[in-house]
Amino acid sequence: KNGFTSGIITDGDFKRIVNKHNKFDKLEIKKFMKKNPVTIEKDTLAASALSLMNSKKIIMGRISEERII
């Protein structure tokens, strides 16, 4: 909506959905997405980004013009 990220979902999330629900063809994605994904500013130093990712135990971050955590 309006060019902003509403949330994210990963292949791991989909795997958990498939394992948990026999019929998921009518499930809305908004019930499973991460609504507040970690976001890193595009000019953040790589070492700082890696430190943040390690501390939050995540393997992927969203890059943006502004930092939203």
Side-chain angles (χ1 to χ4, degrees):
K1 210 191 281 192
N2 297 327
F4 293 99
T5 302
S6 297
I8 61 170
I9 191 160
T10 66
D11 64 332
D13 295 326
F14 277 113
K15 289 173 186 171
R16 284 184 284 282
I17 292 167
V18 168
N19 286 331
K20 205 172 188 183
H21 302 277
N22 292 333
K23 289 189 149 198
F24 63 94
D25 57 327
K26 297 194 191 251
L27 297 175
E28 294 179 331
I29 205 75
K30 67 183 178 183
K31 294 182 180 183
F32 303 98
M33 70 182 188
K34 291 173 183 68
K35 294 177 179 85
N36 297 310
V38 172
T39 305
I40 304 167
E41 288 180 3
K42 67 179 182 177
D43 57 351
T44 300
L45 296 175
S48 296
L50 180 60
S51 176
L52 175 66
M53 292 170 72
N54 284 333
S55 70
K56 298 214 176 260
K57 296 182 172 130
I58 58 173
I59 58 170
M60 189 170 108
R62 181 179 172 270
I63 311 302
S64 73
E65 298 294 323
E66 296 177 14
R67 186 176 187 188
I68 306 166
I69 291 189

